[in-house]
Amino acid sequence: MNIRSAPRTLAAATAALLALSGVAACADDGAAGGDPQRVDVVAAFYPLQFLAERIGGDAVKVTNLVKPGAEPHDLELNPRQVGQVVEAELVVLLKGFQPALDEAVEQNARDRVFDVSTVQPLMDAAGGGHDHEGEEHGHEKGGAKDPHLWLDPTRLATVGDKLAERLGQADPDHAADYTARAGALRGELEKLDAEFTAGLKTCQRREIVVSHTAFGYLTERYQLEQIGITGLSPEDEPAPQRLAEVAQEAREHKATTIFFETLVSPKVAETIAAEVGAKTAVLDPLEGLSTDGGDYLSVMRTNLQTLRTALSCS
């Protein structure tokens, strides 16, 4: 499965792999090794870091390969990061989301990977356009899958349960602790889910106009409808015809807000908002944390308040 339709260069990953002999030499003297008392976990991007830290607790050391404020799709690995993958006792990723990491894992860590896309089937990606009631218009090319499953808290909880099992296999002495922490986190995520369900139950509108169609899991879970300016890739430039279509739909649905994301330029959203007399607001797909901080739960609650305001929910 390749979530990204556009091919990305893997030159940086290849160069990093060629540098491995040097990294491995460092590892031999313990310089690159982790804490022997804790499980060394490499997380591909923020929501997976959040899960690993909450479930692992003080029994794990988690390294996120993507810095706050960076776009995770664009990840290219430097030699140090490839070394971290080589050294990791567990690599938590979503296959197809970051091709450079997939390649590094394939060559160095196939037996130590937890691929969250294997926990539950991923939804088909919606292209630019409507997706509602499971019926998507304007599919991405090539049967692409939508990776953003963490925007449905109940799916994230299920991934957490499976991650606890996998950590327990890597570290049997703490298996019961991992299971207990995953259960506690499930409780928090189910509470968040209940807040979304109640908060979005009665709204004047149910359509959200978004800069790219990252919100399929959220809109399916809470009976909303996303109208995407672009498809799954935030870097895609929308055609003028698409901009005109979105503006028309925004007017038809009386949209008061056009949403953009923290890690992507707001220019396209601002253009449409100006044309239809709407305002813009951030709806965070939580692919990575912005430099403002917070965590998964707080950012999701901010998203809920933003949606309630934009959709005039009572």
Side-chain angles (χ1 to χ4, degrees), residues 131-133 200 203 205-208 218-226 307 311:
D131 68 15
H132 56 97
E133 294 170 12
L200 298 173
C203 305
R205 291 172 295 283
R206 303 210 71 79
E207 302 82 18
I208 59 172
L218 186 147
T219 53
E220 181 186 67
R221 179 73 185 162
Y222 305 112
Q223 286 86 54
L224 302 176
E225 178 187 334
Q226 70 175 337
L307 286 167
L311 300 176

Side-chain angles (χ1 to χ4, degrees), residues 180-193:
R181 281 192 285 264
L185 180 59
R186 173 174 278 282
E188 289 187 66
L189 292 170
E190 287 175 348
K191 179 171 182 276
L192 178 67
D193 175 57

Side-chain angles (χ1 to χ4, degrees), residues 94-164:
L94 198 158
K95 194 173 179 187
F97 191 56
Q98 295 157 304
L101 177 57
D102 292 348
E103 182 170 304
V105 165
E106 179 69 21
Q107 298 196 28
N108 301 289
R110 272 197 291 185
D111 57 335
R112 290 169 284 119
V113 66
F114 176 76
D115 175 7
V116 304
S117 73
T118 63
V119 175
Q120 293 182 318
L122 295 179
M123 287 170 47
D124 288 334
H130 275 85
D131 68 15
H132 56 97
E133 294 170 12
E135 179 190 350
E136 283 139 20
H137 308 279
H139 267 28
E140 294 276 315
K141 292 173 193 158
K145 299 294 182 181
D146 184 348
H148 304 86
L149 59 84
W150 56 87
L151 292 175
D152 175 348
T154 64
R155 288 182 190 247
L156 192 64
T158 300
V159 173
D161 293 339
K162 291 293 184 188
L163 178 57

Side-chain angles (χ1 to χ4, degrees), residues 158-271:
T158 300
V159 173
D161 293 339
K162 291 293 184 188
L163 178 57
E165 286 178 25
R166 188 69 178 77
L167 282 168
Q169 292 167 14
D171 177 22
D173 290 349
H174 294 102
D177 295 337
Y178 298 136
T179 301
R181 281 192 285 264
L185 180 59
R186 173 174 278 282
E188 289 187 66
L189 292 170
E190 287 175 348
K191 179 171 182 276
L192 178 67
D193 175 57
E195 290 172 25
F196 266 82
T197 300
L200 298 173
K201 189 174 182 182
T202 312
C203 305
Q204 289 182 20
R205 291 172 295 283
R206 303 210 71 79
E207 302 82 18
I208 59 172
V209 181
V210 294
S211 57
H212 92 282
T213 52
F215 298 93
Y217 293 92
L218 186 147
T219 53
E220 181 186 67
R221 179 73 185 162
Y222 305 112
Q223 286 86 54
L224 302 176
E225 178 187 334
Q226 70 175 337
I227 299 166
I229 299 171
T230 64
L232 196 59
S233 174
E235 294 90 356
D236 288 349
E237 284 290 325
Q241 179 189 354
R242 179 67 203 143
L243 292 175
E245 288 169 359
V246 172
Q248 179 63 27
E249 290 196 62
R251 288 190 191 94
E252 285 173 10
H253 294 298
K254 299 182 170 56
T256 61
T257 308
I258 311 297
F259 293 109
F260 67 95
E261 299 170 21
T262 44
L263 304 179
V264 180
S265 167
K267 284 181 183 170
V268 173
E270 288 169 350
T271 299

Side-chain angles (χ1 to χ4, degrees), residues 25-34:
C26 295
D28 290 340
D29 63 14

